[in-house]
Amino acid sequence: TAAGSSLLLTRYPASSFSAISPTPSKLTKDPPAPFKWPILGTLPDFLSRGGIDKFAEVHESMYREFGPVYGMSILGDDEIVVCDPVVFGSILRQEGKFPIGAAEGVSTFTDYYKENNLTMAMRGASNGPEWWEWRDSLNADMFAAWDTYMPAIAETCRKISDVAGYEVSENIAFVDFISRAAFDMFETVMYGSTSFTTNSKVASSEDIEFVKAAQSAFDITGALLSNPMEKVFEGDLYK
C-alpha cells in the first residue's frame, strides 16, 4: 500500500506476462500507459506527476486516468502495475511452475550476491529449476514442521508485548522497536531462541547495532527500488 494512500498495487516486470494471460481483455494487449519516449520511456510523465517525492500521488493519478492495470517504462525497464485484486489472483493461479519472484527485482541484493559469488543466495532470488529445488528443500520446515516454530514465535511475541509499552515510551522509538521486534521473531525461527533486542535490559550492543545495520540496508533498498535514477547514474545511495 503506498504511503498516505489506500491504493493497493503491485509492480510486475512486463516479461512476467509472456507466459500467462489472466483476464485476457486487460493483459494480452499492451496496457494503457503514458506516452513512451525513446530511451526515457515514461520517466517524464512520472516526474510531471510528482516523482519519487509524491510516489503515492503518482500512482493515485495514474489509477484514476488509466484504470486498475497500466504500464510504465523507466529508462527501458518495462513493467505493468496492477491495482486489481481479481487480477492478482489470476496471476497467482497462472504464473506457471517456475514463477518470477519479487526478489529478482531487488537489485541491491542480487547485485551483491553476484559480486560476491553467493550462489546459494542467488538460487533463492531467481526462477527456474534451481529456484524450485531451493524452495522445495524448505517446505518441510516451513509447512510440515510449522507446529514446532509457531509456539516459539508466539512466546517471543508475548515477551515483546510485555515490554512494548515501557520500551516505546522510555527507551526506543516506535519505528526502531518494530524493527527489533521483527528481528527477534526472525531470530526465533532461525535459531529457536532470541537475544531480545526489544528489551533494553538484556539486549547486547552488538545485536542492536546489527539490527540498525539491517534496518538501514532495507531503507536503502526501498529508496533504490522507488528511485531507479540512483542505480542508472550510480549515485551516492547506490554506492
Side-chain angles (χ1 to χ4, degrees):
T1 303
S5 169
S6 60
L7 179 63
L8 179 66
L9 58 87
T10 300
R11 297 159 61 191
Y12 298 93
S15 58
S16 301
F17 296 91
S18 59
I20 62 174
S21 56
T23 55
S25 63
K26 291 182 178 180
L27 294 179
T28 54
K29 60 182 181 180
D30 291 337
F35 181 79
K36 186 176 178 180
W37 295 87
I39 301 177
L40 295 178
T42 61
L43 179 61
D45 178 84
F46 176 78
L47 297 175
S48 71
R49 294 174 189 266
I52 193 61
D53 292 333
K54 293 187 176 181
F55 192 74
E57 289 84 351
V58 168
H59 285 283
E60 285 279 9
S61 66
M62 295 187 72
Y63 175 79
R64 288 193 297 269
E65 182 174 348
F66 299 113
V69 179
Y70 51 87
M72 296 181 69
S73 179
I74 307 296
L75 299 174
D77 183 15
D78 294 338
E79 59 187 24
I80 296 175
V81 182
V82 178
C83 314
D84 185 345
V86 175
V87 179
F88 291 168
S90 298
I91 294 170
L92 291 175
R93 287 192 298 270
Q94 301 184 49
E95 61 186 353
K97 186 177 181 180
F98 305 127
I100 296 177
E104 292 178 77
V106 186
S107 58
T108 47
F109 290 161
T110 55
D111 288 351
Y112 179 82
Y113 298 156
K114 292 175 182 176
E115 290 170 3
N116 293 276
N117 197 32
L118 300 177
T119 55
M120 182 59 70
M122 276 300 301
R123 293 174 71 182
S126 61
N127 62 75
E130 288 192 350
W131 171 85
W132 182 264
E133 180 184 345
W134 173 87
R135 180 65 180 78
D136 188 60
S137 67
L138 300 178
N139 285 347
D141 289 326
M142 294 184 66
F143 299 107
W146 66 271
D147 58 336
T148 61
Y149 63 78
M150 287 301 291
I153 293 179
E155 177 62 14
T156 295
C157 290
R158 183 190 66 78
K159 292 181 178 180
I160 292 172
S161 179
D162 287 344
V163 301
Y166 173 77
E167 292 291 352
V168 171
S169 62
E170 299 293 334
N171 298 315
I172 309 171
F174 178 75
V175 64
D176 295 329
F177 186 85
I178 294 299
S179 294
R180 294 193 194 184
F183 173 80
D184 290 350
M185 289 186 284
F186 180 76
E187 190 179 31
T188 299
V189 173
M190 296 300 294
Y191 302 109
S193 62
T194 181
S195 51
F196 282 111
T197 60
T198 46
N199 188 334
S200 298
K201 294 181 180 179
V202 300
S204 71
S205 58
E206 183 179 10
D207 288 331
I208 292 174
E209 287 304 313
F210 180 87
V211 176
K212 288 181 179 179
Q215 186 177 4
S216 176
F218 278 100
D219 287 343
I220 292 172
T221 296
L224 288 173
L225 285 173
S226 57
N227 187 1
M229 301 296 290
E230 280 287 338
K231 180 179 179 179
V232 172
F233 295 107
E234 297 188 357
D236 292 338
L237 190 63
Y238 182 73
K239 295 176 181 179

